[in-house]
Amino acid sequence: MYIHQYLIDRIEKFIKPNKAIIIFGPRRVGKTTLINKYLESVKESYLLLQGDDIFVRETLKLQSINHLKNLVGKHKLLVVDEAQKVKDVGTVFKILLDNIKGIKIIATGSSSFDLAREIGEPLTGRKFTFRLYPLSQMEIKTLESPVDTKANLEQRLIFGSYPEVVLAKSTDEKITYLRELVSSYLYKDILEIEGIKHSDKISKLLQLLALQIGQLVSYTELGTALGLSKNTVERYIDLLEKSFVIFQQTGFSRNLRKEIIKSPKYYFWDLGIRNALINNFNPLTLRTDDGFLWQNYIICERMKKQEYEGIHTNNYFWRTYDKQEIDLVEERNGKLFSYEIKLGKSKVSVPKAWKENYPGASFEVINKNNYLSFIS
């Protein structure tokens, strides 16, 4: 069963002659499915290459203009799946874009650190970059009625939204798939990087971060717990971000002394992955972390919405040393929008320091009654 992916609409809007579209995303979220579905509607001739294929990698290594022209032939669109596997792929794309009139390129990659490094400078001014994540509620809602969506909310918080998880029929299938995903795919891109020797440390680091979602993180404390230096912890976390396992939320400040900005928070792009890491698939009624799951879910889904609808926003949390806080602050079009994210129905008022120092900012509580309009 195919679930409509919003990124297809972005590809159709931005695909242009002599430009490249680069699509990053974690493994198993449907990048290949996305490409194949898009190609079904393409009227012009195209060439689809797999970066995993050693023959393709060897062929593209020859950076001769004539060789590349002969490879592409009369095709108007070149698609390279898993492009990070191709050495100097950015230079290859630059040669094609500069020397074949009207050529269009789409490339996908599961590790942004490899592909971004390869294409960054060569394709300056020649590319549009998009990110594909586990299914968003915007996409899942095409399968569900509003009643089903609310009934399935707990499933989203516990098992996440990888395509195969969403389509799985039983709880056992979901758990088995997530455990396999964590053991076989989660660290694959990271461990392929030269110099990463402590795979067990990365696993333990992720478990610690999983237990601290939505909370201030200290690199020094993580390093002490893992027996690693602060710099090594920061490096590993950076790689985990670039492989789309976690994302960072930084503190918002206009240089008020009492605002916390040095300690970040981390969230997971998929809660199923997070819960698999700590081996906790218990229902919400048996959990003590339900509020943090809700916070992670809402912020993550909101960021997917921003990506797929092209909403250019800076996202932060806000907190003071006397523990006044706001879960999400969006800065867009010169304005501030603040949101407190609550699973329950408790009444929440605007923090006094926020109201006094940012009187022009809006404030809204996101709960079960209004979350769907906020994320989808």
Side-chain angles (χ1 to χ4, degrees):
M1 181 185 297
Y2 176 71
I3 302 172
H4 177 73
Q5 296 163 291
Y6 266 76
L7 210 49
I8 282 185
D9 304 329
R10 302 289 283 166
I11 294 173
E12 291 173 345
K13 180 178 180 180
F14 283 89
I15 190 80
K16 300 179 187 300
N18 298 100
K19 295 286 185 182
I21 286 180
I22 312 299
I23 300 170
F24 296 127
R27 295 175 182 271
R28 313 298 294 179
V29 295
K31 296 186 298 297
T32 301
T33 300
L34 173 79
I35 292 302
N36 289 334
K37 193 66 180 180
Y38 171 73
L39 290 177
E40 289 179 8
S41 64
V42 170
K43 300 283 193 292
E44 58 197 355
S45 60
Y46 63 83
L47 175 63
L48 174 60
L49 302 176
Q50 297 293 335
D52 281 329
D53 189 319
I54 189 171
F55 175 75
V56 169
R57 294 200 298 271
E58 291 298 316
T59 301
L60 292 177
K61 275 171 61 176
L62 301 174
Q63 296 175 10
S64 156
I65 294 174
N66 288 334
H67 169 74
L68 292 174
K69 280 185 174 180
N70 289 334
L71 174 67
V72 174
K74 295 182 179 180
H75 300 298
K76 298 298 183 183
L77 171 64
L78 171 65
V79 181
V80 183
D81 200 10
E82 294 297 336
Q84 82 273 3
K85 300 287 187 179
V86 180
K87 183 175 175 57
D88 298 322
V89 69
T91 302
V92 172
F93 289 163
K94 181 180 182 298
I95 292 171
L96 291 168
L97 293 171
D98 289 350
N99 292 279
I100 300 180
K101 185 178 180 181
I103 187 72
K104 305 170 187 175
I105 294 175
I106 300 175
T108 75
S110 59
S111 60
S112 67
F113 34 78
D114 280 349
L115 189 50
R117 180 176 58 199
E118 293 283 359
I119 67 172
E121 187 174 338
L123 293 188
T124 300
R126 299 175 176 87
K127 63 179 172 61
F128 300 102
T129 302
F130 301 113
R131 290 165 180 79
L132 182 68
Y133 302 110
L135 290 170
S136 68
Q137 184 56 45
M138 296 167 60
E139 295 161 324
I140 295 173
K141 72 179 183 182
T142 61
L143 297 178
E144 304 173 328
S145 69
V147 172
D148 289 334
T149 294
K150 291 188 176 182
N152 290 333
L153 175 59
E154 183 165 340
Q155 295 280 305
R156 302 286 101 83
L157 297 179
I158 295 172
F159 300 112
S161 57
Y162 269 79
E164 291 191 47
V165 171
V166 171
L167 295 174
K169 301 298 184 184
S170 70
T171 296
D172 185 55
E173 283 183 74
K174 296 176 193 290
I175 293 174
T176 300
Y177 179 80
L178 287 167
R179 285 176 173 162
E180 175 66 20
L181 198 59
V182 166
S183 62
S184 300
Y185 291 99
L186 195 60
Y187 313 114
K188 190 171 183 180
D189 290 321
I190 299 170
L191 298 181
E192 286 178 355
I193 300 174
E194 185 177 354
I196 298 299
K197 301 175 182 178
H198 305 293
S199 60
D200 59 323
K201 300 288 188 181
I202 291 179
S203 178
K204 290 175 182 176
L205 172 59
L206 267 179
Q207 289 173 345
L208 290 176
L209 291 172
L211 294 169
Q212 296 182 53
I213 56 171
Q215 301 175 60
L216 298 177
V217 166
S218 165
Y219 300 129
T220 301
E221 290 178 4
L222 289 173
T224 300
L226 295 166
L228 298 172
S229 70
K230 174 176 174 288
N231 289 342
T232 299
V233 168
E234 289 189 67
R235 180 183 176 222
Y236 284 180
I237 286 179
D238 180 60
L239 293 175
L240 288 167
E241 287 188 81
K242 288 176 178 175
S243 56
F244 307 101
V245 181
I246 58 175
F247 62 92
Q248 183 188 92
Q249 192 184 40
T250 56
F252 177 84
S253 175
R254 287 293 181 262
N255 296 317
L256 300 178
R257 285 186 178 182
K258 58 186 177 182
E259 290 174 326
I260 296 175
I261 58 171
K262 291 185 179 180
S263 298
K265 294 181 180 183
Y266 287 94
Y267 295 98
F268 281 73
W269 280 116
D270 187 77
L271 284 170
I273 293 293
R274 182 265 180 181
N275 291 328
L277 283 164
I278 61 173
N279 195 29
N280 185 353
F281 295 104
N282 290 332
L284 295 183
T285 54
L286 299 178
R287 306 183 74 110
T288 59
D289 59 356
D290 53 344
F292 289 115
L293 291 176
W294 175 248
Q295 192 179 114
N296 191 131
Y297 174 74
I298 294 297
I299 292 174
C300 177
E301 290 297 316
R302 180 68 171 180
M303 291 179 67
K304 291 177 190 176
K305 177 182 172 72
Q306 293 168 0
E307 173 75 22
Y308 296 156
E309 294 190 348
I311 302 170
H312 301 291
T313 303
N314 295 319
N315 297 293
Y316 309 92
F317 70 89
W318 176 82
R319 184 170 180 172
T320 65
Y321 285 102
D322 58 0
K323 297 185 179 180
Q324 296 185 63
E325 60 183 323
I326 294 175
D327 295 322
L328 177 62
V329 175
E330 296 183 357
E331 183 181 33
R332 60 179 186 271
N333 301 323
K335 296 180 179 179
L336 295 176
F337 303 83
S338 58
Y339 306 96
E340 188 65 13
I341 301 167
K342 293 296 182 185
L343 183 58
K345 298 180 180 180
S346 57
K347 188 175 181 181
V348 180
S349 57
V350 187
K352 182 180 178 182
W354 178 262
K355 189 175 182 179
E356 289 176 351
N357 290 286
Y358 307 105
S362 67
F363 180 81
E364 185 179 358
V365 177
I366 305 300
N367 55 35
K368 284 186 176 181
N369 294 327
N370 62 0
Y371 81 97
L372 279 175
S373 61
F374 185 66
I375 66 174
S376 66

